[in-house]
Amino acid sequence: MNQISAPQLPDMNAVWQETLNWQPTPEQQVLFQQLFELIIQFNQQLNLTRITEPQEFWEKHLWDSLRGISFLLSEKNLLSPGTKFIDIGTGGGFPGIALAIIFPESSVTLLDSTRKKITALTTILEELKINNTIPWVGRAEALGQHPKHRESYDFALLRAVAPPSVSAEYALPLLKVGGTAILYRGHWTPEEEQQLISAVKQLGGVLESVDGFTTPLTQSIRHCLYLKKVRPTAKQYPRAIGIPGQKPL
Ligand code: SAM
């Protein structure tokens, strides 16, 4: 592959501090920069992301990924060594790789149905010597019925994968009772909320909160939806591959 140099990510310490009351360590900043460079390099062969400008990469990938879990930055006691995350439909590695960098004692499964993307991410993670991730090729519907994965995660994250109730059907079977699914969305409407509440109830969860905010550089509208699993998910969920998308709950 041709080596192409990626520009420097902007220095955003003041913005991290102001918006999340947190800053990455110098080592984490180096990893963010190296991750950016490797993604740009792999993007020559494979469409891992359309976001390749440094400011946009910082805002839409790094900041946005961590904004969704910012409650874990301030309440560290919610994490213990071995806390298990799964990023469902990770694509170019977001939000999962950003999390793996800042929570090195946690385990982050990076799930995507596209083998080429997971192969590229595996190489990137090896180059960065990030060893707390489990890249996994597969469909969320299949993993949710896999005995080793079902009801085994503390947190499930989904960004830009499927409509809300479909995302809930992918995520809730994979969570332990007490676990949290985080759905990263753009705009959000009361109609979508009613549909999601009904789907989540069938899956053993509740919609705990909706957090609306704007991104710090372009003031883009975002919502994060937090779903809490309150009882085991009925065996029939997730339904067979493709069915959640075709017939959303
Ligand atoms: N989460 C990343 C982000 O926000 O930048 C990537 C989003 S990309 C638009 C959606 C990804 O979800 C694709 O890489 C696709 O292969 C994956 N995907 C869609 N449905 C899936 C499923 N049922 N199981 C696993 N991966 C899925």
Side-chain angles (χ1 to χ4, degrees):
M1 196 185 320
N2 293 333
Q3 283 281 347
I4 56 161
S5 60
Q8 279 294 119
L9 290 173
D11 176 352
M12 288 293 176
N13 273 340
V15 189
W16 283 122
Q17 190 61 47
E18 196 182 311
T19 55
L20 304 190
N21 196 23
W22 170 88
Q23 285 182 20
T25 64
E27 293 75 21
Q28 289 165 348
Q29 291 190 30
V30 169
L31 282 172
F32 286 160
Q33 177 66 33
Q34 292 173 338
L35 174 64
F36 176 48
E37 290 171 10
L38 285 164
I39 287 182
I40 297 295
Q41 201 176 316
F42 274 86
N43 234 24
Q44 290 176 90
Q45 308 183 321
L46 180 66
N47 183 21
L48 280 179
T49 180
R50 52 170 190 79
I51 295 168
T52 55
E53 291 305 314
Q55 294 233 344
E56 205 187 359
F57 186 91
W58 178 84
E59 182 184 52
K60 302 234 166 86
H61 280 330
L62 299 176
W63 186 88
D64 192 62
S65 294
L66 299 187
R67 175 62 178 76
I69 53 81
S70 55
F71 63 102
L72 294 174
L73 296 170
S74 49
E75 290 181 57
K76 287 262 164 48
N77 59 336
L78 294 174
L79 289 180
S80 51
T83 295
K84 287 178 70 183
F85 292 87
I86 181 163
D87 178 8
I88 299 172
T90 190
F94 297 99
I97 298 182
L99 256 78
I101 289 174
I102 64 155
F103 299 138
E105 298 199 339
S106 296
S107 155
V108 184
T109 297
L110 302 168
L111 174 71
D112 204 283
S113 52
T114 307
R115 179 171 299 277
K116 279 185 184 168
K117 290 186 184 176
I118 292 297
T119 303
L121 293 186
T122 303
T123 308
I124 289 172
L125 291 159
E126 278 169 11
E127 293 224 9
L128 295 177
K129 300 190 173 45
I130 293 175
N131 51 22
N132 59 327
T133 59
I134 304 169
W136 192 282
V137 183
R139 295 274 308 204
E141 301 95 312
L143 210 69
Q145 295 291 359
H146 189 303
K148 284 203 177 129
H149 291 268
R150 187 177 175 89
E151 311 227 315
S152 77
Y153 290 92
D154 300 289
F155 296 97
L157 305 113
L158 293 101
R159 195 179 76 159
V161 178
S165 60
V166 179
S167 298
E169 187 168 347
Y170 291 165
L172 281 156
L174 288 162
L175 289 176
K176 297 173 185 167
V177 172
T180 301
I182 305 168
L183 277 46
Y184 291 67
R185 315 291 311 170
H187 286 269
W188 187 240
T189 63
E191 295 73 40
E192 287 179 298
E193 189 158 320
Q194 281 319 307
Q195 197 193 352
L196 180 64
I197 287 171
S198 146
V200 167
K201 194 172 168 199
Q202 294 177 66
L203 295 161
V206 290
L207 173 61
E208 199 168 53
S209 60
V210 177
D211 184 15
F213 55 92
T214 54
T215 62
L217 303 184
T218 58
Q219 276 72 53
S220 307
I221 291 173
R222 294 281 186 276
H223 290 84
C224 278
L225 318 176
Y226 297 88
L227 316 179
K228 189 95 176 163
K229 179 145 163 179
V230 292
R231 54 177 191 282
T233 303
K235 233 5 228 128
Q236 78 249 38
Y237 302 118
R239 291 167 290 166
I241 288 175
I243 303 296
Q246 287 161 24
K247 296 181 184 167
L249 290 174

